[in-house]
Amino acid sequence: MTTTQTTPQVQQWVNLAQQLRVDSIRSTTAAGSGHPTSSMSAADLMAVLMTRYLHYDFDNPQNPNNDDLIFSKGHASPLLYSMYKAAGAISDEELMTLRKFGSRLEGHPTPVLPWVDVATGSLGQGLPIGVGIGLVAKYVDKLPYKVFVLLGDSEMAEGSIWEALDHASHYKLDNVIGILDCNRLGQRGETELGWNTAAYAERAKAFGWNPIVIDGHNYDEIDHAFSHAVEANNGQPTLIIAKTLKGKGVSFLENKEGWHGKALSKEQAEQAIQELGVQGRSRSQVYPVPRPESLQPAPEPEKKPLELPKYNVGDSQATRKAYGDALKALGAANPNVLAVDGEVSNSTYAEEFAKAFPDRFFEQFIAEQQLVSTAVAMSVRHKIPFASTFAAFFTRAYDFIRMAAISRANIRLCGSHAGVSIGEDGPSQMALEDLAMMRAVYGSTVLYPSDANQAAQLVAQMADHNGIVYMRTTREKTPVIYSADETFTIGGSKVVRQSAKDEATIVAAGITLHEALKAYEQLKSQGITVRVIDLYTVKPVDEETLIAAADNAGNKIITVEDHWPEGGLGEAVMEAFSERDGAMPEIVKLAVQSMPGSGTPAELLEEAGISAHHIVQAVRALVRGV
Amino acid sequence: MTTTQTTPQVQQWVNLAQQLRVDSIRSTTAAGSGHPTSSMSAADLMAVLMTRYLHYDFDNPQNPNNDDLIFSKGHASPLLYSMYKAAGAISDEELMTLRKFGSRLEGHPTPVLPWVDVATGSLGQGLPIGVGIGLVAKYVDKLPYKVFVLLGDSEMAEGSIWEALDHASHYKLDNVIGILDCNRLGQRGETELGWNTAAYAERAKAFGWNPIVIDGHNYDEIDHAFSHAVEANNGQPTLIIAKTLKGKGVSFLENKEGWHGKALSKEQAEQAIQELGVQGRSRSQVYPVPRPESLQPAPEPEKKPLELPKYNVGDSQATRKAYGDALKALGAANPNVLAVDGEVSNSTYAEEFAKAFPDRFFEQFIAEQQLVSTAVAMSVRHKIPFASTFAAFFTRAYDFIRMAAISRANIRLCGSHAGVSIGEDGPSQMALEDLAMMRAVYGSTVLYPSDANQAAQLVAQMADHNGIVYMRTTREKTPVIYSADETFTIGGSKVVRQSAKDEATIVAAGITLHEALKAYEQLKSQGITVRVIDLYTVKPVDEETLIAAADNAGNKIITVEDHWPEGGLGEAVMEAFSERDGAMPEIVKLAVQSMPGSGTPAELLEEAGISAHHIVQAVRALVRGV
């Protein structure tokens, strides 16, 4: 240790840091895999943090005054878990279960552990979420807790990191403290910037942060940096840029290539532990972590009864507008509802909420990764976030949505401008893969309303629904077909047309339901009666209604969707039948089969083969063979 | 115009810029939608660029010496198309077809037009691709062409922009020139940084670029900036930061809120055109664009016969290793093959190629959006790019893959570490949605080999295959089951076990094929014979083989995949049957149904319900009811 002090405090830090290193080695060696060296570089930083600057009540992880500590470099989990042991939160025995089947101590941290707020391991995500938490602390909770984020230097190459730096300074989040463990070595060699801490500092400064460059193994410097960071009140977030050595403290690991993500053998571990000089009992010292204050979050206004907007049957309204109207109604009823948008709130209609509740709306600009991260952060702090942008642009944040599911986050996403029916703007703006993308998220719910009253009701239910809930809305105005009194539930569908002599069933949702209804009339005039199902919940799909339709309407189904053929509504319908005994019905899928260009919505629906005209043809071919 | 010169050159720029503005207004008014004001702000910049600095042969868009001009702010397409008209490439008549059905002039530029290399419209993508092209120019083609990228200020909030800035300076791409049209106004109000050009400059400088701040309506300053930029040879890319006025030149549009993405009415258009002072004939002046030099790209070494690696049946090998081995073989045979990787080449085994051909491997660090963008750029310049990272992390770049399909790019992606079978690292590293994500890309091909010899053959075929081709590889070593002489083709599958008395068919791929083979043996010992299909092409799926299997093996199918239930192999199999006449077979899908943690591959396959043991149970239930 290159420190000038030898006070009892410094000695405590030395002891703790060495214990953290030893435990990082012991646990990974026991596991036979993991990241000891990436843990060891940050041990001194974390030793100082946890004994002096982090305020955390391990007995009550839900204490609203707890600081947040996020390991954005999630692969340093052995260090995090060793800190939990040092804090007395887990036993040495549990620490040794690292990476074993059934253990809470997974290869990368997840909220299976009560002290982990968000899953990390996909690099570049911890900081964006930390920034979101800082935003909640400052503007919503109005509590003085801090957010500490441990960053790896490799992940500074991720664009999402720079979205986070940008947003943190825009929102003046001086409660956010990044700790960059600049150990120079990435997975397969030197990182892009190596130990060029000046370059990181210049970049951070240009993005409105206060960079502090230190030797990450010098306790004076570490202590001073944290002390400065937690006192910041000028609106500037702090980035502590710590030059460190990967594998610090062990001669054959320190600053050596070829040791990323490798556990030591038993013999190597013994030698390393001997070098680290921690013997016997002192390996399992418990170090008190400062307790947080006992403040209460800003008092919430009382909840009020929900008064959803109502639309008249026969009028025309876009479901995206109903989203905005309903979100505003929800905001009036429940002060815990927050909204974020990716600088398109006048298109998604999140602006209805933003205008009514400017204090609870946070513009995320055109930075979809940060958009989703902020929503996840709001969920961490028990708010009810709604995030919106064009449906196509949620593809930008798919990794964040995937990780949000692992984080067990409760977030509501609304994507507008779905499918070819948006018309003239062309394919870059058309979501044609969003249903596939969102269905393939663990535990997700996927909604696709076809009518304004239905959309409004579903928005209200989204607020109370757990997990990742996605609503796809339509750009175009469509006829209001349901009265405001009709009820819709997540997981449900609606049989819109039926008779005793139905020969087939058309399953549609959103824009294509209106094409299906036109097709119904044309077919009826030709003497063919079909059932029409509005599959407004695409996941979980309403198996009962679909199976009943197959059983009672000729065992023939036509699905129609404004989406590529893969992974969307059609495949969701098939999924329903793979669960039941016996052969599946005859299913014909209409979906977008060629790359669209620009045109009117009607022209593009026709060209895509999903217009009323194509539905009529498909039904005739299926039931009449012509 | 606030210029000090009144030379003939300046007068030409004035005339051209006004013509571009008028045409941007006329075309959008004719379309009834579009972005005139976002076009007008950049008209002066583009007038100078196209008459003095851009070298482009409009008669031969494939001329390897052509500069690239990318509108990263794709919504300014009216300006781009007006430039095409001014260059004599399209007629005024065609310009007036903007956004109409069947027109090449889509709402946002796509390569339907021969002068557009990549589709834009999802903000923040033009620059990363431009940087990739700069890399090809400098290190592969070794030609002096330049890359000009017009950027909007709103899109500077996208993290991908900063990945691009970072990579451009890392690779010393002084041939890349960004032009930031800083018009202050985004879609719904002021951008994050407004006219704070100094902030942009500071950030660009910190990222290693040379920023030049100018008045974007002052021809002297524009001219000087471009002149400086094209002469740069110090390894620094240039960012021209132009303060501009949205709607410049028309009193009721200039710097006014509420005009984003709105066409003018006929009356407004007439008034605007009058203000712009361009009358009659002069509206359709043609301005010569400088021609490029006639140099040849660096000569390619000759192609050699391909010698793929061979693996012995019964040995164990990971398909990811076969990917690396085959890529190296491909590199030896074809000098046009290039590779990029997201700083995990020692895991994806792209390092085999990197070590053998360091001049054709370009490290992209942990920046997956840039990784895919660079591959797209290589495709633009007719190379054969392979891009690899962990399969899970391609979710980070989904928007870029989606747009690559609209760009008609030919790129090959390889994602390693798929599914729960990766074991101890936990869910953040497990791709469980990649098949769904990649299937739902227009025109994509999805491969999932189960054996090293098969993987090697498919890698070779990827090189010759168009569109977005994705290969999913497995982390674990699995038995080599096919001899090196057996043939496999994209679009095919392999019947691995069959008999005349098969009672059902198991369809699997990758890791689960080996579980299926174990299940086959157990079932056989229990007197149940099943067919086993290796569905190594997940898209397009081999309908013929699947339908034959259903017909000849009891019309019962069990699919098994190391993937969420949605959108993957199981749904691909169902898809096959939705195309044929008649009812579908009875299909049971085994897939990952709960959130995995850490554990050994075997433990996690078992817990996920996709192990041999679960397959045996599912088959027994299906064919025996027990």
Side-chain angles (χ1 to χ4, degrees):
Chain A
M1 304 303 106
T2 55
T3 183
T4 53
Q5 291 184 55
T6 49
T7 61
Q9 173 68 85
V10 169
Q11 194 52 53
Q12 187 196 39
W13 288 332
V14 171
N15 292 347
L16 172 54
Q18 296 299 71
Q19 174 175 315
L20 295 174
R21 290 188 172 99
V22 167
D23 280 346
S24 296
I25 291 170
R26 291 174 59 232
S27 57
T28 49
T29 293
S33 67
H35 295 262
T37 57
S38 299
S39 296
M40 293 162 79
S41 56
D44 296 313
L45 294 160
M46 293 300 104
V48 176
L49 177 66
M50 74 174 272
T51 50
R52 180 170 275 183
Y53 297 100
L54 179 72
H55 291 78
Y56 198 92
D57 182 354
F58 276 91
D59 296 329
N60 180 14
Q62 297 304 323
N63 184 332
N65 297 286
N66 281 340
D67 291 340
D68 261 273
L69 171 60
I70 299 175
F71 267 40
S72 196
K73 53 176 287 187
H75 56 288
S77 58
L79 173 61
L80 183 67
Y81 304 152
S82 298
M83 290 166 71
Y84 291 163
K85 181 192 127 178
I90 65 169
S91 66
D92 189 72
E93 195 182 358
E94 182 167 12
L95 182 63
M96 293 306 127
T97 66
L98 174 69
R99 290 175 161 251
K100 294 206 170 74
F101 185 71
S103 171
R104 302 189 293 180
L105 309 188
E106 299 183 12
H108 296 76
T110 77
V112 168
L113 282 165
W115 316 285
V116 174
D117 281 332
V118 291
T120 51
S122 178
L123 290 171
Q125 298 208 14
L127 187 67
I129 296 171
V131 165
I133 293 173
L135 186 145
V136 171
K138 184 153 188 163
Y139 298 103
V140 186
D141 283 345
K142 295 174 181 159
L143 285 176
Y145 62 83
K146 307 281 181 192
V147 185
F148 299 95
V149 180
L150 181 66
L151 290 149
D153 44 353
S154 279
E155 69 180 313
M156 299 304 280
E158 286 284 14
S160 56
I161 289 289
W162 301 95
E163 293 182 14
L165 265 83
D166 181 47
H167 280 63
S169 64
H170 177 79
Y171 279 110
K172 304 190 185 307
L173 303 180
D174 46 25
N175 52 359
V176 174
I177 297 147
I179 307 145
L180 175 54
D181 176 20
C182 189
N183 66 23
R184 191 184 70 86
L185 290 172
Q187 168 166 337
R188 42 83 271 162
E190 187 162 77
T191 62
E192 193 180 348
L193 292 171
W195 271 330
N196 189 350
T197 51
Y200 288 118
E202 201 187 337
R203 293 180 184 191
K205 189 161 176 292
F207 274 72
W209 284 51
N210 177 31
I212 306 177
V213 177
I214 61 168
D215 171 352
H217 304 302
N218 179 309
Y219 291 113
D220 292 345
E221 293 186 28
I222 297 169
D223 189 34
H224 179 262
F226 277 123
S227 155
H228 198 82
V230 298
E231 278 156 24
N233 60 4
N234 63 348
Q236 274 197 322
T238 303
L239 183 66
I240 299 172
I241 300 164
K243 182 180 167 185
T244 60
L245 297 168
K246 198 157 172 170
K248 166 74 180 175
V250 173
S251 59
F252 59 95
L253 301 177
E254 203 171 281
N255 198 27
K256 292 277 193 297
E257 295 217 17
W259 272 104
H260 181 92
K262 282 193 190 146
L264 282 63
S265 69
K266 270 194 175 172
E267 297 67 34
Q268 289 168 330
E270 270 170 33
Q271 190 188 334
I273 292 166
Q274 199 149 29
E275 280 197 35
L276 288 164
V278 183
Q279 306 298 337
R281 207 176 57 82
S282 69
R283 274 191 195 171
S284 292
Q285 283 279 110
V286 170
Y287 294 80
V289 172
R291 291 299 178 108
E293 298 180 74
S294 299
L295 303 168
Q296 286 306 309
E300 286 180 3
E302 262 181 58
K303 289 192 186 180
K304 291 179 193 158
L306 175 62
E307 290 189 36
L308 282 179
K310 294 181 180 188
Y311 308 92
N312 295 323
V313 173
D315 284 0
S316 271
Q317 191 51 278
T319 51
R320 62 178 169 136
K321 179 63 164 60
Y323 169 77
D325 293 344
L327 188 60
K328 178 179 159 185
L330 208 52
N334 188 341
N336 230 1
V337 170
L338 307 178
V340 287
D341 188 275
E343 217 207 305
V344 289
S345 57
N346 52 343
S347 290
T348 60
Y349 282 104
E351 70 173 8
E352 301 295 335
F353 182 96
K355 284 180 201 161
F357 310 104
D359 294 349
R360 288 191 268 144
F361 176 83
F362 299 93
E363 181 59 68
Q364 299 299 295
F365 302 98
I366 304 189
E368 293 80 7
Q369 299 180 122
Q370 183 62 51
L371 173 75
V372 171
S373 297
T374 302
V376 170
M378 290 168 166
S379 166
V380 164
R381 288 284 171 169
H382 307 296
K383 314 306 170 197
I384 303 175
F386 283 76
S388 48
T389 183
F390 282 27
F393 303 144
F394 275 120
T395 55
R396 198 65 152 260
Y398 194 29
D399 196 21
F400 292 75
I401 298 168
R402 173 184 82 90
M403 289 294 296
I406 304 176
S407 290
R408 281 71 169 172
N410 300 316
I411 59 173
R412 294 131 204 101
L413 309 176
C414 178
S416 67
H417 293 67
V420 302
S421 72
I422 69 162
E424 289 78 2
D425 274 337
S428 63
Q429 320 291 302
M430 295 170 177
L432 287 164
E433 58 293 294
D434 58 321
L435 297 178
M437 167 175 94
M438 294 305 309
R439 281 182 70 233
V441 169
Y442 178 70
S444 68
T445 301
V446 179
L447 305 170
Y448 184 17
S450 52
D451 156 286
N453 282 317
Q454 188 185 58
Q457 272 195 36
L458 293 173
V459 169
Q461 291 176 40
M462 285 168 85
D464 302 321
H465 207 79
N466 282 343
I468 316 295
V469 188
Y470 173 65
M471 175 176 280
R472 178 190 228 213
T473 63
T474 300
R475 179 181 189 274
E476 297 299 294
K477 288 186 181 180
T478 50
V480 176
I481 58 171
Y482 298 115
S483 91
D485 304 328
E486 223 161 321
T487 54
F488 305 93
T489 51
I490 290 178
S493 68
K494 204 88 186 176
V495 180
V496 193
R497 297 285 185 274
Q498 66 178 325
S499 78
K501 56 190 178 66
D502 293 339
E503 299 181 58
T505 300
I506 306 171
V507 185
I511 193 84
T512 58
L513 181 71
H514 301 280
E515 297 300 312
L517 290 173
K518 286 182 225 163
Y520 170 90
E521 294 299 335
Q522 293 175 30
L523 286 163
K524 200 173 165 191
S525 73
Q526 297 170 21
I528 299 175
T529 320
V530 292
R531 188 163 296 198
V532 179
I533 292 179
D534 175 3
L535 197 73
Y536 62 82
T537 314
V538 178
K539 181 183 173 192
V541 77
D542 181 356
E543 291 172 16
E544 199 179 329
T545 301
L546 289 170
I547 289 171
D551 289 346
N552 301 325
N555 212 33
K556 290 172 197 290
I557 288 179
I558 294 101
T559 65
V560 203
E561 59 194 307
D562 195 355
H563 189 274
W564 299 129
E566 296 84 10
L569 181 142
E571 293 193 359
V573 168
M574 290 189 209
E575 170 85 6
F577 292 99
S578 76
E579 301 291 319
R580 79 160 176 182
D581 283 346
M584 295 172 70
E586 192 167 358
I587 299 180
V588 170
K589 244 171 62 178
L590 302 183
V592 181
Q593 300 275 3
S594 59
M595 180 59 77
S598 291
T600 65
E603 284 167 340
L604 295 175
L605 288 169
E606 180 63 22
E607 193 203 29
I610 56 173
S611 66
H613 159 245
H614 287 280
I615 299 171
V616 168
Q617 280 190 332
V619 170
R620 287 190 62 85
L622 190 63
V623 303
R624 293 284 190 271
V626 288
Chain B
M1 302 303 105
T2 54
T3 182
T4 53
Q5 292 183 55
T6 51
T7 61
Q9 173 67 85
V10 168
Q11 194 52 52
Q12 187 196 39
W13 288 332
V14 172
N15 292 348
L16 172 54
Q18 296 298 73
Q19 175 176 315
L20 295 175
R21 289 189 172 100
V22 167
D23 280 346
S24 296
I25 290 170
R26 290 173 61 232
S27 58
T28 48
T29 293
S33 67
H35 296 262
T37 56
S38 299
S39 295
M40 295 162 76
S41 55
D44 296 313
L45 294 160
M46 292 301 103
V48 176
L49 177 67
M50 72 176 273
T51 51
R52 180 168 275 180
Y53 297 100
L54 180 71
H55 291 77
Y56 197 91
D57 182 353
F58 276 92
D59 296 329
N60 180 14
Q62 297 304 324
N63 184 330
N65 297 286
N66 281 340
D67 289 341
D68 262 273
L69 170 61
I70 299 175
F71 268 40
S72 196
K73 53 175 291 189
H75 56 287
S77 59
L79 173 60
L80 183 66
Y81 303 151
S82 299
M83 291 167 69
Y84 291 163
K85 181 192 126 178
I90 66 170
S91 66
D92 189 71
E93 197 181 356
E94 182 168 12
L95 182 62
M96 292 306 127
T97 66
L98 173 69
R99 289 175 162 252
K100 294 205 170 73
F101 185 71
S103 171
R104 300 189 294 179
L105 309 186
E106 299 184 11
H108 296 76
T110 76
V112 169
L113 282 165
W115 316 286
V116 174
D117 281 332
V118 291
T120 51
S122 180
L123 291 172
Q125 299 208 13
L127 187 67
I129 295 171
V131 165
I133 293 174
L135 186 144
V136 172
K138 185 154 189 162
Y139 298 102
V140 186
D141 284 343
K142 295 175 180 157
L143 284 176
Y145 62 82
K146 307 282 181 189
V147 186
F148 298 95
V149 181
L150 181 67
L151 291 149
D153 45 351
S154 280
E155 68 180 312
M156 299 302 282
E158 286 285 13
S160 56
I161 290 289
W162 301 95
E163 293 182 15
L165 267 85
D166 180 46
H167 280 63
S169 64
H170 177 79
Y171 280 109
K172 304 190 185 308
L173 303 179
D174 45 25
N175 53 358
V176 174
I177 296 148
I179 307 146
L180 176 54
D181 176 19
C182 189
N183 67 22
R184 190 185 70 85
L185 291 171
Q187 167 165 335
R188 43 82 270 159
E190 186 161 80
T191 61
E192 192 181 347
L193 291 172
W195 271 329
N196 189 352
T197 51
Y200 289 117
E202 201 186 338
R203 292 179 186 193
K205 189 161 177 292
F207 274 72
W209 285 50
N210 177 33
I212 305 177
V213 177
I214 62 168
D215 171 354
H217 305 303
N218 180 310
Y219 292 113
D220 293 345
E221 292 186 27
I222 297 170
D223 189 34
H224 178 264
F226 277 123
S227 157
H228 198 83
V230 297
E231 280 156 22
N233 60 4
N234 62 348
Q236 274 198 320
T238 303
L239 183 65
I240 299 172
I241 301 164
K243 182 180 167 185
T244 61
L245 296 168
K246 198 158 174 170
K248 166 74 180 175
V250 174
S251 58
F252 59 95
L253 300 176
E254 202 172 282
N255 198 26
K256 293 277 193 296
E257 296 217 15
W259 272 104
H260 181 92
K262 282 193 188 146
L264 280 66
S265 69
K266 270 193 176 173
E267 297 67 34
Q268 290 169 330
E270 272 171 31
Q271 191 188 331
I273 292 166
Q274 202 151 28
E275 281 195 35
L276 288 164
V278 183
Q279 305 298 335
R281 211 176 55 81
S282 70
R283 272 189 196 170
S284 292
Q285 284 278 111
V286 170
Y287 296 79
V289 172
R291 292 297 177 110
E293 299 179 72
S294 298
L295 304 168
Q296 288 305 311
E300 284 180 4
E302 262 182 61
K303 288 191 188 183
K304 292 179 193 158
L306 176 63
E307 290 189 37
L308 281 179
K310 295 183 180 187
Y311 308 92
N312 295 322
V313 173
D315 284 0
S316 271
Q317 191 51 278
T319 53
R320 61 178 171 135
K321 179 64 163 60
Y323 169 77
D325 293 343
L327 188 60
K328 178 180 160 186
L330 208 52
N334 189 341
N336 230 2
V337 170
L338 306 177
V340 286
D341 188 277
E343 217 207 306
V344 288
S345 57
N346 52 343
S347 290
T348 61
Y349 281 105
E351 70 172 8
E352 301 295 336
F353 181 97
K355 283 181 202 159
F357 310 104
D359 294 349
R360 289 192 268 143
F361 176 83
F362 299 92
E363 180 58 67
Q364 300 298 296
F365 302 99
I366 304 189
E368 293 81 6
Q369 299 180 119
Q370 183 63 50
L371 173 75
V372 171
S373 297
T374 301
V376 170
M378 290 168 166
S379 166
V380 164
R381 289 282 170 170
H382 307 296
K383 314 305 171 201
I384 303 175
F386 283 76
S388 48
T389 182
F390 281 28
F393 302 143
F394 275 120
T395 56
R396 198 63 155 259
Y398 194 30
D399 197 21
F400 292 75
I401 299 168
R402 173 183 82 89
M403 290 294 295
I406 303 177
S407 290
R408 282 71 170 170
N410 301 316
I411 58 173
R412 295 132 203 100
L413 309 175
C414 178
S416 67
H417 293 68
V420 302
S421 71
I422 69 162
E424 289 78 2
D425 274 337
S428 63
Q429 320 292 303
M430 295 170 178
L432 287 164
E433 57 293 293
D434 58 321
L435 297 178
M437 168 176 94
M438 294 306 309
R439 282 182 69 231
V441 169
Y442 177 69
S444 67
T445 301
V446 179
L447 305 171
Y448 184 18
S450 52
D451 156 284
N453 283 316
Q454 189 184 58
Q457 273 195 36
L458 293 172
V459 169
Q461 292 177 39
M462 288 169 83
D464 302 320
H465 207 79
N466 280 343
I468 317 295
V469 188
Y470 173 66
M471 176 177 279
R472 178 190 229 214
T473 63
T474 300
R475 178 179 190 277
E476 296 300 296
K477 288 186 181 179
T478 50
V480 177
I481 58 170
Y482 299 115
S483 91
D485 304 327
E486 222 161 325
T487 55
F488 307 93
T489 52
I490 290 178
S493 67
K494 204 88 188 175
V495 180
V496 193
R497 297 283 184 275
Q498 65 177 326
S499 77
K501 54 188 179 65
D502 293 339
E503 299 182 58
T505 301
I506 306 171
V507 185
I511 191 85
T512 58
L513 181 72
H514 300 280
E515 297 300 312
L517 290 174
K518 287 182 223 162
Y520 170 89
E521 296 299 335
Q522 294 175 31
L523 286 162
K524 199 174 165 191
S525 73
Q526 297 169 21
I528 299 174
T529 321
V530 292
R531 188 163 297 197
V532 179
I533 293 178
D534 175 4
L535 197 73
Y536 61 81
T537 314
V538 178
K539 181 184 173 190
V541 77
D542 181 357
E543 292 171 15
E544 201 180 326
T545 302
L546 290 169
I547 290 171
D551 289 345
N552 300 326
N555 212 31
K556 291 173 196 289
I557 289 179
I558 293 102
T559 65
V560 203
E561 60 195 306
D562 194 357
H563 188 276
W564 299 129
E566 296 84 11
L569 180 143
E571 293 193 0
V573 168
M574 291 190 208
E575 172 84 7
F577 291 99
S578 75
E579 300 290 320
R580 76 159 179 184
D581 283 347
M584 296 172 69
E586 190 166 0
I587 299 180
V588 170
K589 245 171 61 179
L590 302 184
V592 181
Q593 300 274 4
S594 60
M595 180 60 75
S598 291
T600 65
E603 284 167 341
L604 295 175
L605 288 169
E606 179 64 22
E607 191 203 30
I610 55 174
S611 64
H613 158 245
H614 288 280
I615 299 171
V616 168
Q617 280 190 331
V619 171
R620 289 189 61 84
L622 190 62
V623 303
R624 295 282 190 273
V626 287

